[in-house]
Each structure stands twice: as structure tokens, then as C-alpha cells.
Amino acid sequence: MENQSNPKKLSIIIPAYNEGRTIHLILNKIKDVVLPEAVLKEIIVVNDCSTDETEATLLAYQFNNPEFVIHYYKHDINKGKGAAIHTGISKATGDFILIQDADLEYDPEEYTVLLKPMLGGHADVVYGSRFMGGKPHRILFFWHTIGNRFLTFLSNMFSNLNLTDMETCYKLFDAALLKSLSLHENRFGFEPEVTQKIARIPKIRIYEVGISYYGRTYEEGKKINWKDGFWAIWCIFKYGLLRL
């Protein structure tokens, strides 16, 4: 068991854009999670210039939950999810870094599942796959599923990995390793870029674990679209084939 006098810290980066309806709910879930082996939580919320009540809801949450420390940053202009993640990475002080969407599609109760290979000394990176294991998975869009699987297949071709879900939000990194990468993509291109770049690291140990997925519809606030899919293809070629 980890020496509790020198506990590890998990930095949880939450990129938020117009998530006023759910930001307080996901924070409640994160607050209630008990991490293994006395791992501490560092919560980093990056508001990507939301135009709804995201900031007001978050500030009210901070006021009503003073014991739950949240590090809050915001962009003066909308830069994209990847840019919000970059800001979060630069502010993180933990041993591990995890990406958490501000909606309710991914369950923080599964942090323990993601951390297990890392704390066991087996992994440097852990991906949470929506397409493996027996966890609940909301049935939604056929073509989105086909698109995700195609992007993962294409990414695997150039990275020589055998991931089942490259586009997953839940990616857990050794913090020093992630901070060592030069990342550029400001929108949803973060996923293929970071995957191609970590795959180049000599002797990198990448694991996948099955997670649940409570997907949402566009009416419920889903933002990614077909244009982002085409950009992801370009990013796979750019960082995989051209190795930029």
C-alpha cells in the first residue's frame, strides 16, 4: 500500500464549455469518489469561454462546498476542448493526470478501475474503453459507433497499438510523461494527437480497461460532429504518418 505520509495525487482536468446543467452534478460525483491507497484529488476546471451559466453554477458550487477545493481557470475566448486540456495540463501538480468531461457520460466511480494498473506499477498510460468489458453502454448512434471504430482502426495502423477505443475521454497518464509531450491540437484532435505521440515513446506501457458509457444526444448537449471526425482523420495522418 502507498505510504500515506507521502500519498500520490490524481489531477482531474475538466474542460467545460456550456455545461451549466451538469457541471455541479459531475463535481458531486467526483467529490464522493473514494480513491484507492489514499490517493489525493486535485480538481482543475477550465471554462472554455462558456456562454451559458457554467461559470455562475461553478462559483455557486465552490461557495457551497468550501471544503472541496476546485482550481478554476477560464479562457477569455473559446479555443476548443484540446486547448482547455492544455491549460489543465500546465496547471496540474499531481503524479497522475486524468481527463474528465463535464457532462455525465463517464462515471467517476471508475477512477479506481483506471488507477489499478498504474498503482500496481504496470502502466504508464491507461485508456478507458467503452467497447470492452461488460459495463453499461447507452445505445445511441450507429454511425458514431462505426466512426469511432474506424478512427481507432486507422490510429492503430500508424501507432502499432491494438486499442479498442482511441476516442475515449477517459485517458489516465503519468503526469511527467504527458507534460513531456508537445501537444498542439485545440479541438477534438487532442485524442488522435496524444495517442500517436505517446505510442512513439520507447518502452511505453499502455493499458486498456473496460468502462461504462452513459452517452447523450445532441438535444442533451453532445457537441462533437462529422467535421470533427474528418479533422481526426487528418490528425491521425499528420501525427501518425507524417510524425509531426
Side-chain angles (χ1 to χ4, degrees), residues 40-80:
L40 304 177
K41 304 170 196 169
E42 178 182 56
I43 315 302
I44 300 171
V45 177
V46 182
N47 180 2
D48 190 32
C49 196
S50 296
T51 58
D52 71 346
E53 67 278 12
T54 296
E55 181 170 64
T57 302
L58 178 61
L59 294 177
Y61 188 91
Q62 286 182 298
F63 180 81
N64 292 322
N65 298 271
E67 78 290 351
F68 186 52
V69 178
I70 300 169
H71 303 281
Y72 176 52
Y73 306 93
K74 62 180 179 178
H75 293 163
D76 293 331
I77 60 173
N78 180 255
K79 299 179 180 180

mmCIF file of all heavy atoms in Angstrom, residues 40-80:
data_model
loop_
_atom_site.group_PDB
_atom_site.id
_atom_site.type_symbol
_atom_site.label_atom_id
_atom_site.label_comp_id
_atom_site.label_asym_id
_atom_site.label_seq_id
_atom_site.Cartn_x
_atom_site.Cartn_y
_atom_site.Cartn_z
ATOM 1 N N LEU A 40 -4.805 11.306 -3.388
ATOM 2 C CA LEU A 40 -5.480 12.588 -3.244
ATOM 3 C C LEU A 40 -6.029 13.069 -4.577
ATOM 4 O O LEU A 40 -5.544 12.678 -5.639
ATOM 5 C CB LEU A 40 -4.510 13.634 -2.680
ATOM 6 C CG LEU A 40 -3.830 13.286 -1.355
ATOM 7 C CD1 LEU A 40 -2.837 14.385 -0.977
ATOM 8 C CD2 LEU A 40 -4.861 13.075 -0.253
ATOM 9 N N LYS A 41 -7.036 13.947 -4.524
ATOM 10 C CA LYS A 41 -7.635 14.512 -5.733
ATOM 11 C C LYS A 41 -7.223 15.973 -5.883
ATOM 12 O O LYS A 41 -7.228 16.727 -4.908
ATOM 13 C CB LYS A 41 -9.163 14.457 -5.672
ATOM 14 C CG LYS A 41 -9.773 13.103 -5.455
ATOM 15 C CD LYS A 41 -11.273 13.259 -5.183
ATOM 16 C CE LYS A 41 -11.859 12.007 -4.574
ATOM 17 N NZ LYS A 41 -13.229 12.225 -4.061
ATOM 18 N N GLU A 42 -6.899 16.353 -7.099
ATOM 19 C CA GLU A 42 -6.709 17.754 -7.460
ATOM 20 C C GLU A 42 -7.686 18.047 -8.601
ATOM 21 O O GLU A 42 -7.559 17.488 -9.686
ATOM 22 C CB GLU A 42 -5.280 18.021 -7.915
ATOM 23 C CG GLU A 42 -5.059 19.472 -8.353
ATOM 24 C CD GLU A 42 -3.644 19.723 -8.849
ATOM 25 O OE1 GLU A 42 -3.204 19.012 -9.790
ATOM 26 O OE2 GLU A 42 -2.978 20.617 -8.300
ATOM 27 N N ILE A 43 -8.652 18.903 -8.357
ATOM 28 C CA ILE A 43 -9.689 19.191 -9.337
ATOM 29 C C ILE A 43 -9.343 20.473 -10.078
ATOM 30 O O ILE A 43 -9.168 21.525 -9.461
ATOM 31 C CB ILE A 43 -11.080 19.352 -8.677
ATOM 32 C CG1 ILE A 43 -11.313 18.239 -7.648
ATOM 33 C CG2 ILE A 43 -12.175 19.381 -9.734
ATOM 34 C CD1 ILE A 43 -11.218 16.844 -8.192
ATOM 35 N N ILE A 44 -9.265 20.389 -11.396
ATOM 36 C CA ILE A 44 -8.932 21.544 -12.233
ATOM 37 C C ILE A 44 -10.034 21.711 -13.274
ATOM 38 O O ILE A 44 -10.196 20.864 -14.164
ATOM 39 C CB ILE A 44 -7.571 21.363 -12.930
ATOM 40 C CG1 ILE A 44 -6.457 21.184 -11.897
ATOM 41 C CG2 ILE A 44 -7.284 22.547 -13.859
ATOM 42 C CD1 ILE A 44 -5.133 20.779 -12.490
ATOM 43 N N VAL A 45 -10.808 22.772 -13.155
ATOM 44 C CA VAL A 45 -11.865 23.066 -14.125
ATOM 45 C C VAL A 45 -11.391 24.199 -15.028
ATOM 46 O O VAL A 45 -10.951 25.244 -14.539
ATOM 47 C CB VAL A 45 -13.182 23.463 -13.425
ATOM 48 C CG1 VAL A 45 -14.246 23.828 -14.465
ATOM 49 C CG2 VAL A 45 -13.675 22.335 -12.530
ATOM 50 N N VAL A 46 -11.480 23.980 -16.342
ATOM 51 C CA VAL A 46 -11.109 25.014 -17.308
ATOM 52 C C VAL A 46 -12.345 25.363 -18.132
ATOM 53 O O VAL A 46 -12.831 24.553 -18.925
ATOM 54 C CB VAL A 46 -9.969 24.553 -18.233
ATOM 55 C CG1 VAL A 46 -9.578 25.684 -19.188
ATOM 56 C CG2 VAL A 46 -8.766 24.093 -17.416
ATOM 57 N N ASN A 47 -12.867 26.553 -17.909
ATOM 58 C CA ASN A 47 -14.054 27.036 -18.607
ATOM 59 C C ASN A 47 -13.616 27.667 -19.930
ATOM 60 O O ASN A 47 -12.966 28.703 -19.957
ATOM 61 C CB ASN A 47 -14.779 28.051 -17.728
ATOM 62 C CG ASN A 47 -16.025 28.613 -18.380
ATOM 63 O OD1 ASN A 47 -16.397 28.235 -19.489
ATOM 64 N ND2 ASN A 47 -16.671 29.539 -17.695
ATOM 65 N N ASP A 48 -14.011 27.036 -21.034
ATOM 66 C CA ASP A 48 -13.569 27.485 -22.356
ATOM 67 C C ASP A 48 -14.516 28.547 -22.910
ATOM 68 O O ASP A 48 -15.125 28.376 -23.965
ATOM 69 C CB ASP A 48 -13.467 26.286 -23.307
ATOM 70 C CG ASP A 48 -12.783 26.635 -24.615
ATOM 71 O OD1 ASP A 48 -11.887 27.505 -24.612
ATOM 72 O OD2 ASP A 48 -13.150 26.033 -25.649
ATOM 73 N N CYS A 49 -14.651 29.650 -22.171
ATOM 74 C CA CYS A 49 -15.477 30.799 -22.575
ATOM 75 C C CYS A 49 -16.929 30.387 -22.838
ATOM 76 O O CYS A 49 -17.496 30.667 -23.902
ATOM 77 C CB CYS A 49 -14.891 31.488 -23.809
ATOM 78 S SG CYS A 49 -15.539 33.144 -24.127
ATOM 79 N N SER A 50 -17.509 29.721 -21.849
ATOM 80 C CA SER A 50 -18.909 29.311 -21.969
ATOM 81 C C SER A 50 -19.826 30.521 -22.073
ATOM 82 O O SER A 50 -19.538 31.589 -21.509
ATOM 83 C CB SER A 50 -19.318 28.474 -20.752
ATOM 84 O OG SER A 50 -18.595 27.269 -20.694
ATOM 85 N N THR A 51 -20.940 30.344 -22.777
ATOM 86 C CA THR A 51 -21.918 31.424 -22.934
ATOM 87 C C THR A 51 -23.185 31.154 -22.134
ATOM 88 O O THR A 51 -24.131 31.935 -22.207
ATOM 89 C CB THR A 51 -22.269 31.611 -24.418
ATOM 90 O OG1 THR A 51 -22.791 30.373 -24.937
ATOM 91 C CG2 THR A 51 -21.053 32.026 -25.223
ATOM 92 N N ASP A 52 -23.213 30.062 -21.391
ATOM 93 C CA ASP A 52 -24.372 29.755 -20.557
ATOM 94 C C ASP A 52 -24.023 30.030 -19.093
ATOM 95 O O ASP A 52 -23.156 30.853 -18.799
ATOM 96 C CB ASP A 52 -24.823 28.304 -20.787
ATOM 97 C CG ASP A 52 -23.841 27.293 -20.206
ATOM 98 O OD1 ASP A 52 -22.698 27.696 -19.861
ATOM 99 O OD2 ASP A 52 -24.202 26.104 -20.091
ATOM 100 N N GLU A 53 -24.669 29.332 -18.181
ATOM 101 C CA GLU A 53 -24.485 29.596 -16.749
ATOM 102 C C GLU A 53 -23.379 28.748 -16.127
ATOM 103 O O GLU A 53 -23.323 28.592 -14.893
ATOM 104 C CB GLU A 53 -25.805 29.338 -16.010
ATOM 105 C CG GLU A 53 -26.286 27.901 -15.978
ATOM 106 C CD GLU A 53 -27.025 27.472 -17.230
ATOM 107 O OE1 GLU A 53 -26.999 28.196 -18.252
ATOM 108 O OE2 GLU A 53 -27.637 26.380 -17.204
ATOM 109 N N THR A 54 -22.474 28.199 -16.933
ATOM 110 C CA THR A 54 -21.411 27.333 -16.407
ATOM 111 C C THR A 54 -20.632 28.011 -15.280
ATOM 112 O O THR A 54 -20.454 27.438 -14.200
ATOM 113 C CB THR A 54 -20.436 26.913 -17.526
ATOM 114 O OG1 THR A 54 -21.146 26.111 -18.483
ATOM 115 C CG2 THR A 54 -19.270 26.112 -16.969
ATOM 116 N N GLU A 55 -20.162 29.232 -15.521
ATOM 117 C CA GLU A 55 -19.347 29.907 -14.505
ATOM 118 C C GLU A 55 -20.157 30.197 -13.247
ATOM 119 O O GLU A 55 -19.690 29.943 -12.126
ATOM 120 C CB GLU A 55 -18.760 31.201 -15.052
ATOM 121 C CG GLU A 55 -17.893 31.918 -14.015
ATOM 122 C CD GLU A 55 -17.104 33.070 -14.601
ATOM 123 O OE1 GLU A 55 -17.734 34.056 -15.066
ATOM 124 O OE2 GLU A 55 -15.867 32.990 -14.593
ATOM 125 N N ALA A 56 -21.365 30.702 -13.393
ATOM 126 C CA ALA A 56 -22.192 31.018 -12.228
ATOM 127 C C ALA A 56 -22.474 29.764 -11.408
ATOM 128 O O ALA A 56 -22.430 29.791 -10.166
ATOM 129 C CB ALA A 56 -23.498 31.674 -12.671
ATOM 130 N N THR A 57 -22.760 28.669 -12.093
ATOM 131 C CA THR A 57 -23.043 27.408 -11.400
ATOM 132 C C THR A 57 -21.811 26.919 -10.660
ATOM 133 O O THR A 57 -21.894 26.466 -9.510
ATOM 134 C CB THR A 57 -23.507 26.340 -12.405
ATOM 135 O OG1 THR A 57 -24.668 26.804 -13.095
ATOM 136 C CG2 THR A 57 -23.835 25.035 -11.707
ATOM 137 N N LEU A 58 -20.651 27.013 -11.300
ATOM 138 C CA LEU A 58 -19.416 26.568 -10.674
ATOM 139 C C LEU A 58 -19.057 27.422 -9.463
ATOM 140 O O LEU A 58 -18.686 26.901 -8.402
ATOM 141 C CB LEU A 58 -18.273 26.592 -11.683
ATOM 142 C CG LEU A 58 -16.905 26.192 -11.144
ATOM 143 C CD1 LEU A 58 -16.920 24.762 -10.623
ATOM 144 C CD2 LEU A 58 -15.835 26.365 -12.195
ATOM 145 N N LEU A 59 -19.180 28.738 -9.587
ATOM 146 C CA LEU A 59 -18.846 29.619 -8.472
ATOM 147 C C LEU A 59 -19.787 29.390 -7.290
ATOM 148 O O LEU A 59 -19.358 29.423 -6.125
ATOM 149 C CB LEU A 59 -18.893 31.079 -8.921
ATOM 150 C CG LEU A 59 -17.829 31.486 -9.954
ATOM 151 C CD1 LEU A 59 -18.027 32.935 -10.382
ATOM 152 C CD2 LEU A 59 -16.425 31.261 -9.412
ATOM 153 N N ALA A 60 -21.054 29.150 -7.592
ATOM 154 C CA ALA A 60 -22.010 28.837 -6.526
ATOM 155 C C ALA A 60 -21.640 27.516 -5.856
ATOM 156 O O ALA A 60 -21.739 27.375 -4.624
ATOM 157 C CB ALA A 60 -23.428 28.779 -7.091
ATOM 158 N N TYR A 61 -21.200 26.570 -6.645
ATOM 159 C CA TYR A 61 -20.801 25.264 -6.102
ATOM 160 C C TYR A 61 -19.598 25.433 -5.179
ATOM 161 O O TYR A 61 -19.554 24.847 -4.084
ATOM 162 C CB TYR A 61 -20.472 24.305 -7.237
ATOM 163 C CG TYR A 61 -20.245 22.880 -6.766
ATOM 164 C CD1 TYR A 61 -21.306 21.979 -6.713
ATOM 165 C CD2 TYR A 61 -18.980 22.445 -6.358
ATOM 166 C CE1 TYR A 61 -21.104 20.680 -6.262
ATOM 167 C CE2 TYR A 61 -18.778 21.162 -5.907
ATOM 168 C CZ TYR A 61 -19.845 20.279 -5.867
ATOM 169 O OH TYR A 61 -19.653 19.001 -5.405
ATOM 170 N N GLN A 62 -18.622 26.219 -5.614
ATOM 171 C CA GLN A 62 -17.451 26.466 -4.767
ATOM 172 C C GLN A 62 -17.856 27.121 -3.446
ATOM 173 O O GLN A 62 -17.339 26.755 -2.386
ATOM 174 C CB GLN A 62 -16.449 27.357 -5.503
ATOM 175 C CG GLN A 62 -15.673 26.672 -6.613
ATOM 176 C CD GLN A 62 -14.667 27.607 -7.260
ATOM 177 O OE1 GLN A 62 -15.035 28.627 -7.834
ATOM 178 N NE2 GLN A 62 -13.394 27.267 -7.172
ATOM 179 N N PHE A 63 -18.767 28.067 -3.516
ATOM 180 C CA PHE A 63 -19.217 28.774 -2.305
ATOM 181 C C PHE A 63 -19.916 27.817 -1.345
ATOM 182 O O PHE A 63 -19.729 27.897 -0.120
ATOM 183 C CB PHE A 63 -20.162 29.908 -2.692
ATOM 184 C CG PHE A 63 -20.677 30.688 -1.520
ATOM 185 C CD1 PHE A 63 -19.900 31.682 -0.935
ATOM 186 C CD2 PHE A 63 -21.935 30.422 -0.991
ATOM 187 C CE1 PHE A 63 -20.378 32.391 0.163
ATOM 188 C CE2 PHE A 63 -22.417 31.128 0.095
ATOM 189 C CZ PHE A 63 -21.631 32.121 0.674
ATOM 190 N N ASN A 64 -20.710 26.901 -1.885
ATOM 191 C CA ASN A 64 -21.485 25.986 -1.055
ATOM 192 C C ASN A 64 -20.694 24.762 -0.604
ATOM 193 O O ASN A 64 -21.158 24.012 0.262
ATOM 194 C CB ASN A 64 -22.733 25.522 -1.815
ATOM 195 C CG ASN A 64 -23.725 26.648 -2.018
ATOM 196 O OD1 ASN A 64 -23.918 27.486 -1.142
ATOM 197 N ND2 ASN A 64 -24.356 26.691 -3.192
ATOM 198 N N ASN A 65 -19.507 24.549 -1.209
ATOM 199 C CA ASN A 65 -18.689 23.380 -0.855
ATOM 200 C C ASN A 65 -17.241 23.830 -0.607
ATOM 201 O O ASN A 65 -16.315 23.402 -1.310
ATOM 202 C CB ASN A 65 -18.731 22.339 -1.971
ATOM 203 C CG ASN A 65 -20.114 21.790 -2.223
ATOM 204 O OD1 ASN A 65 -20.527 20.810 -1.609
ATOM 205 N ND2 ASN A 65 -20.835 22.421 -3.126
ATOM 206 N N PRO A 66 -17.021 24.676 0.386
ATOM 207 C CA PRO A 66 -15.681 25.253 0.596
ATOM 208 C C PRO A 66 -14.624 24.216 0.945
ATOM 209 O O PRO A 66 -13.428 24.453 0.731
ATOM 210 C CB PRO A 66 -15.898 26.243 1.745
ATOM 211 C CG PRO A 66 -17.106 25.729 2.463
ATOM 212 C CD PRO A 66 -17.992 25.148 1.398
ATOM 213 N N GLU A 67 -15.045 23.070 1.478
ATOM 214 C CA GLU A 67 -14.080 22.034 1.854
ATOM 215 C C GLU A 67 -13.553 21.268 0.647
ATOM 216 O O GLU A 67 -12.536 20.561 0.741
ATOM 217 C CB GLU A 67 -14.731 21.052 2.850
ATOM 218 C CG GLU A 67 -15.674 20.015 2.233
ATOM 219 C CD GLU A 67 -16.995 20.594 1.706
ATOM 220 O OE1 GLU A 67 -17.281 21.783 1.965
ATOM 221 O OE2 GLU A 67 -17.744 19.830 1.041
ATOM 222 N N PHE A 68 -14.236 21.391 -0.496
ATOM 223 C CA PHE A 68 -13.863 20.666 -1.717
ATOM 224 C C PHE A 68 -13.135 21.647 -2.637
ATOM 225 O O PHE A 68 -13.751 22.459 -3.310
ATOM 226 C CB PHE A 68 -15.123 20.105 -2.381
ATOM 227 C CG PHE A 68 -14.852 19.223 -3.574
ATOM 228 C CD1 PHE A 68 -13.968 18.164 -3.482
ATOM 229 C CD2 PHE A 68 -15.494 19.446 -4.781
ATOM 230 C CE1 PHE A 68 -13.729 17.341 -4.575
ATOM 231 C CE2 PHE A 68 -15.267 18.629 -5.880
ATOM 232 C CZ PHE A 68 -14.380 17.576 -5.775
ATOM 233 N N VAL A 69 -11.825 21.576 -2.632
ATOM 234 C CA VAL A 69 -11.007 22.566 -3.340
ATOM 235 C C VAL A 69 -11.073 22.332 -4.847
ATOM 236 O O VAL A 69 -10.781 21.234 -5.333
ATOM 237 C CB VAL A 69 -9.543 22.524 -2.862
ATOM 238 C CG1 VAL A 69 -8.703 23.534 -3.642
ATOM 239 C CG2 VAL A 69 -9.478 22.799 -1.360
ATOM 240 N N ILE A 70 -11.449 23.382 -5.578
ATOM 241 C CA ILE A 70 -11.520 23.338 -7.039
ATOM 242 C C ILE A 70 -10.659 24.476 -7.589
ATOM 243 O O ILE A 70 -10.849 25.635 -7.225
ATOM 244 C CB ILE A 70 -12.963 23.506 -7.538
ATOM 245 C CG1 ILE A 70 -13.854 22.381 -6.995
ATOM 246 C CG2 ILE A 70 -13.012 23.536 -9.068
ATOM 247 C CD1 ILE A 70 -15.338 22.605 -7.227
ATOM 248 N N HIS A 71 -9.719 24.128 -8.427
ATOM 249 C CA HIS A 71 -8.886 25.140 -9.081
ATOM 250 C C HIS A 71 -9.573 25.525 -10.392
ATOM 251 O O HIS A 71 -9.738 24.694 -11.280
ATOM 252 C CB HIS A 71 -7.490 24.589 -9.334
ATOM 253 C CG HIS A 71 -6.803 24.109 -8.093
ATOM 254 N ND1 HIS A 71 -6.200 24.964 -7.196
ATOM 255 C CD2 HIS A 71 -6.661 22.854 -7.580
ATOM 256 C CE1 HIS A 71 -5.688 24.260 -6.196
ATOM 257 N NE2 HIS A 71 -5.962 22.982 -6.401
ATOM 258 N N TYR A 72 -9.956 26.783 -10.475
ATOM 259 C CA TYR A 72 -10.780 27.234 -11.595
ATOM 260 C C TYR A 72 -10.011 28.204 -12.490
ATOM 261 O O TYR A 72 -9.427 29.180 -12.017
ATOM 262 C CB TYR A 72 -12.047 27.913 -11.069
ATOM 263 C CG TYR A 72 -12.935 28.501 -12.135
ATOM 264 C CD1 TYR A 72 -13.345 27.735 -13.215
ATOM 265 C CD2 TYR A 72 -13.361 29.835 -12.060
ATOM 266 C CE1 TYR A 72 -14.167 28.272 -14.198
ATOM 267 C CE2 TYR A 72 -14.176 30.373 -13.039
ATOM 268 C CZ TYR A 72 -14.570 29.585 -14.110
ATOM 269 O OH TYR A 72 -15.370 30.116 -15.091
ATOM 270 N N TYR A 73 -10.032 27.897 -13.792
ATOM 271 C CA TYR A 73 -9.407 28.750 -14.800
ATOM 272 C C TYR A 73 -10.392 28.942 -15.940
ATOM 273 O O TYR A 73 -11.270 28.104 -16.165
ATOM 274 C CB TYR A 73 -8.119 28.114 -15.328
ATOM 275 C CG TYR A 73 -7.135 27.758 -14.235
ATOM 276 C CD1 TYR A 73 -7.132 26.487 -13.671
ATOM 277 C CD2 TYR A 73 -6.240 28.704 -13.753
ATOM 278 C CE1 TYR A 73 -6.243 26.165 -12.645
ATOM 279 C CE2 TYR A 73 -5.350 28.392 -12.727
ATOM 280 C CZ TYR A 73 -5.362 27.113 -12.180
ATOM 281 O OH TYR A 73 -4.496 26.803 -11.164
ATOM 282 N N LYS A 74 -10.248 30.050 -16.666
ATOM 283 C CA LYS A 74 -11.154 30.263 -17.788
ATOM 284 C C LYS A 74 -10.435 30.955 -18.938
ATOM 285 O O LYS A 74 -9.470 31.696 -18.741
ATOM 286 C CB LYS A 74 -12.373 31.087 -17.368
ATOM 287 C CG LYS A 74 -12.084 32.482 -16.862
ATOM 288 C CD LYS A 74 -13.388 33.179 -16.482
ATOM 289 C CE LYS A 74 -13.129 34.583 -15.936
ATOM 290 N NZ LYS A 74 -14.396 35.271 -15.603
ATOM 291 N N HIS A 75 -10.908 30.654 -20.143
ATOM 292 C CA HIS A 75 -10.393 31.291 -21.348
ATOM 293 C C HIS A 75 -11.261 32.503 -21.681
ATOM 294 O O HIS A 75 -12.489 32.439 -21.567
ATOM 295 C CB HIS A 75 -10.429 30.313 -22.524
ATOM 296 C CG HIS A 75 -9.479 29.163 -22.374
ATOM 297 N ND1 HIS A 75 -9.585 28.004 -23.124
ATOM 298 C CD2 HIS A 75 -8.394 28.996 -21.565
ATOM 299 C CE1 HIS A 75 -8.613 27.179 -22.791
ATOM 300 N NE2 HIS A 75 -7.887 27.745 -21.849
ATOM 301 N N ASP A 76 -10.634 33.572 -22.120
ATOM 302 C CA ASP A 76 -11.372 34.777 -22.495
ATOM 303 C C ASP A 76 -12.047 34.643 -23.855
ATOM 304 O O ASP A 76 -12.979 35.382 -24.164
ATOM 305 C CB ASP A 76 -10.438 35.993 -22.507
ATOM 306 C CG ASP A 76 -9.945 36.340 -21.106
ATOM 307 O OD1 ASP A 76 -10.682 36.062 -20.143
ATOM 308 O OD2 ASP A 76 -8.830 36.877 -20.986
ATOM 309 N N ILE A 77 -11.535 33.710 -24.682
ATOM 310 C CA ILE A 77 -12.183 33.383 -25.952
ATOM 311 C C ILE A 77 -12.300 31.873 -26.046
ATOM 312 O O ILE A 77 -11.530 31.149 -25.407
ATOM 313 C CB ILE A 77 -11.400 33.932 -27.172
ATOM 314 C CG1 ILE A 77 -9.989 33.338 -27.210
ATOM 315 C CG2 ILE A 77 -11.358 35.457 -27.151
ATOM 316 C CD1 ILE A 77 -9.219 33.688 -28.466
ATOM 317 N N ASN A 78 -13.250 31.403 -26.826
ATOM 318 C CA ASN A 78 -13.431 29.970 -26.998
ATOM 319 C C ASN A 78 -12.300 29.416 -27.859
ATOM 320 O O ASN A 78 -12.111 29.840 -28.999
ATOM 321 C CB ASN A 78 -14.791 29.689 -27.641
ATOM 322 C CG ASN A 78 -15.026 28.200 -27.855
ATOM 323 O OD1 ASN A 78 -14.946 27.713 -28.968
ATOM 324 N ND2 ASN A 78 -15.301 27.494 -26.786
ATOM 325 N N LYS A 79 -11.544 28.470 -27.306
ATOM 326 C CA LYS A 79 -10.383 27.917 -28.012
ATOM 327 C C LYS A 79 -10.559 26.456 -28.390
ATOM 328 O O LYS A 79 -9.848 25.955 -29.252
ATOM 329 C CB LYS A 79 -9.136 28.062 -27.132
ATOM 330 C CG LYS A 79 -8.775 29.499 -26.792
ATOM 331 C CD LYS A 79 -7.543 29.539 -25.905
ATOM 332 C CE LYS A 79 -7.158 30.963 -25.548
ATOM 333 N NZ LYS A 79 -5.960 31.007 -24.671
ATOM 334 N N GLY A 80 -11.470 25.752 -27.733
ATOM 335 C CA GLY A 80 -11.684 24.348 -28.028
ATOM 336 C C GLY A 80 -11.313 23.449 -26.862
ATOM 337 O O GLY A 80 -10.560 23.836 -25.952
#
